[in-house]
Amino acid sequence: GAVVSQHPSWVICKSGTSVKIECRSLDFQATTMFWYRQFPKQSLMLMATSNEGSKATYEQGVEKDKFLINHASLTLSTLTVTSAHPEDSSFYICSAKAPLGRDSNQPQHFGDGTRLSIL
Amino acid sequence: AQSVTQLGSHVSVSEGALVLLRCNYSSSVPPYLFWYVQYPNQGLQLLLKYTTGATLVKGINGFEAEFKKSETSFHLTKPSAHMSDAAEYFCAVIYQAGTALIFGKGTTLSVSS
């Protein structure tokens, strides 16, 4: 089946550092990818929709200058948490919209998530 | 705003007992409906989905769910719980094809021996 790879799976860094998370579709072209954030014991909250070759669409309340999203190719979207602070610590999950006719059982293919801890 | 509600943030059952996790959506037009499972520090795994057709859908690991339009519900059930079923379960919807999944707050399922 379709696979989405997310890297890194775990990152710990100092406050003020910028952190980049990569989301790759390994065996299909993903024109649309989604970024979610999940706090401990809570649900996944959609942060933004990333479309290849255009600016991401952010959900209300998500700071676009804080969470930079780049979708420069059909297989890669990146989320950069700029000048990260402890309150940005969370579990970030990306997903890629399933291509038409491929794995029609699932609307989106999820990465395994990135645990971000800011000290 | 359109949303999905999961009643009960935590459900505890004994091994072998019936599992019932509740999910209701808020829309006059039925959305596409999904149940996902998440194990600690892992991504999401699709259990089952409803788009059209038969309202009782069967998924993996013995789970099933029934779409009831009159009740705007899509509850997840399993006749006999297993210890390995302990996890976080999310109901999710898509209200418009091609848009992102919207998740409920999740229900933690605990299974005791």
Side-chain angles (χ1 to χ4, degrees), chain A residues 13-65:
Chain A
C13 58
K14 294 181 179 180
S15 183
T17 306
S18 291
V19 179
K20 179 185 284 187
I21 302 170
E22 293 186 347
C23 183
R24 294 181 184 273
S25 56
L26 297 184
D27 57 354
F28 66 99
Q29 293 182 333
T31 56
T32 302
M33 290 185 173
F34 306 100
W35 287 95
Y36 293 85
R37 181 175 183 177
Q38 184 181 30
F39 289 104
K41 303 296 184 182
Q42 295 190 31
S43 186
L44 285 78
M45 300 302 296
L46 179 66
M47 297 175 66
T49 300
S50 169
N51 292 298
E52 188 268 337
S54 64
K55 291 183 178 181
T57 302
Y58 290 82
E59 296 299 302
Q60 190 173 10
V62 178
E63 299 177 59
K64 58 183 65 178
D65 293 331

Side-chain angles (χ1 to χ4, degrees), chain A residues 10 32 34 36 38 41-44 46 49 91 93 97 104-108 110-113 115, chain B residues 6 34 36 38 41-46 49 88 90 94 98-106 108:
Chain A
W10 199 298
T32 302
F34 306 100
Y36 293 85
Q38 184 181 30
K41 303 296 184 182
Q42 295 190 31
S43 186
L44 285 78
L46 179 66
T49 300
F91 192 56
I93 302 176
K97 191 173 76 170
S104 60
N105 188 48
Q106 304 201 44
Q108 297 173 208
F110 287 88
D112 286 336
R115 174 74 58 193
Chain B
Q6 289 183 243
F34 306 83
Y36 285 85
Q38 184 182 35
N41 292 313
Q42 293 188 27
L44 298 168
Q45 182 179 14
L46 179 66
K49 71 170 186 179
E88 190 78 13
F90 293 98
I94 288 179
T99 60
L101 283 158
I102 303 300
F103 289 87
K105 291 187 175 181
T108 302

Side-chain angles (χ1 to χ4, degrees), chain B residues 6-7 10 28 30 35 49 64 74 79 88 90 93-94 98 101:
Chain B
Q6 289 183 243
L7 294 176
H10 199 152
S28 58
W35 275 99
K49 71 170 186 179
E64 61 182 38
F74 190 57
E88 190 78 13
F90 293 98
V93 301
I94 288 179
L101 283 158

